[in-house]
Amino acid sequence: MSTRIIGLGAGGHAKVIVELLRACGGFEIVGLLDARSDMCRQMLLDVPILGSDSLLPSLREQGIGTFFLGVGTVGDASPRRRLYELATNHGFAAATLLHPSSVVSRSANLGKGTVVMAGAIVNACASVGINGIINTGAIIEHDCAIGDHVHVATGAKLAGSVRLGNGVHVGVGATVRQGIRIGDGAIVGAGAVVVRDVPPGVTVIGVPAQPMKSRDDRGQG
Ligand SMILES: CC(C)(COP(=O)(O)OP(=O)(O)OC[C@H]1O[C@@H](n2cnc3c(N)ncnc32)[C@H](O)[C@@H]1OP(=O)(O)O)[C@@H](O)C(=O)NCCC(=O)NCCS
């Protein structure tokens, strides 16, 4: 019997998850919820957009108990954290999803709601917290310890024993040297190479990665 599932958010990330669910099999995608009223009653890859989050209680009453998040992040993790908490507070369980073409070590540990996209690799003894995105082709090497609500974007690479706090974003194509620690809420810019620890809340860019100047310091304030 297939698992009935709903998605919160109907953006580009939702398209990728819908196709991942179809590749996995065993799911009936009931619909997507999105706060944007103009999207209501439209379709996304043949999945209906049902309406806003206000439908969560009635969907739960209809016996649907599983959800995924159809919104990604490009930095700030708080929208995904908020939606995750909203759905779980309504009694839904987050689906942990592995694309059939991903490689996840048996000794790795993935938290609830974490998704591992096509071609990504999570190697031996690595751990990822809840509601993570290990995006297309990303590599998480052995013994990495990753917090909750983290996005390791497409093609990013973490060498062995890297530690990421909660809500960290590692940008598309970035590389992080072995053993580095990156604090809660920090952002690693696209293509950066991180060779020093990054404090919480700091955005780093470049090769080697350096803290990004504020708008004022860049003369745009
Ligand atoms: C680092 C980042 C968060 C900064 O975003 P932002 O605050 O909106 O920055 P802006 O685009 O206004 O750029 C500000 C300046 O930083 C530079 N910059 C921005 N991102 C950079 C990066 N990754 N590497 C080098 N320089 C960068 C810009 O060229 C600009 O320089 P200028 O002031 O000399 O013109 C963002 O650019 C980034 O890399 N995000 C990750 C995106 C990602 O991973 N997407 C994947 C989704 S799957």
Side-chain angles (χ1 to χ4, degrees):
M1 208 177 100
S2 51
T3 301
R4 292 200 293 163
I5 189 166
I6 54 160
L8 276 70
H13 187 68
K15 295 178 188 169
V16 185
I17 303 283
V18 165
E19 293 200 338
L20 186 159
L21 290 165
R22 289 174 177 159
C24 288
F27 290 94
E28 179 196 340
I29 310 170
V30 176
L32 302 169
L33 304 182
D34 199 290
R36 293 168 287 181
S37 56
D38 56 317
M39 300 199 69
C40 187
R41 285 186 281 281
Q42 292 190 20
M43 304 287 277
L44 183 137
L45 295 180
D46 298 323
V47 178
I49 300 170
L50 303 172
S52 75
D53 304 344
S54 63
L55 295 174
L56 281 171
S58 67
L59 289 164
R60 189 69 197 93
E61 277 168 21
Q62 289 165 41
I64 298 153
T66 309
F67 79 99
F68 67 88
L69 290 190
V71 282
T73 53
V74 289
D76 179 14
S78 55
R80 272 181 59 89
R81 185 192 310 244
R82 189 186 58 74
L83 284 175
Y84 184 90
E85 287 168 357
L86 181 73
T88 53
N89 288 343
H90 278 88
F92 289 85
T96 304
L97 300 168
L98 312 185
H99 192 280
S101 71
S102 67
V103 178
V104 176
S105 161
R106 284 183 177 205
S107 59
N109 205 354
L110 302 181
K112 284 200 171 113
T114 284
V115 293
V116 183
M117 303 297 211
I121 299 174
V122 181
N123 229 328
C125 300
S127 66
V128 184
I130 61 169
N131 194 25
I133 305 171
I134 309 303
N135 221 326
T136 313
I139 298 177
I140 310 298
E141 260 308 335
H142 62 88
D143 299 300
C144 283
I146 296 179
D148 297 336
H149 312 290
V150 166
H151 181 180
V152 180
T154 299
K157 298 182 181 70
L158 309 185
S161 302
V162 165
R163 294 184 182 270
L164 306 184
N166 298 324
V168 167
H169 179 88
V170 180
V172 59
T175 301
V176 183
R177 189 164 84 176
Q178 71 278 4
I180 292 291
R181 289 168 183 260
I182 299 182
D184 293 347
I187 297 173
V188 175
V193 176
V194 182
V195 297
R196 299 273 178 268
D197 289 355
V198 179
V202 169
T203 297
V204 295
I205 56 173
V207 182
Q210 304 283 350
M212 196 172 151
K213 288 181 180 157
S214 69
R215 273 177 198 279
D216 288 347
D217 290 344
R218 296 199 307 264
Q220 295 169 15

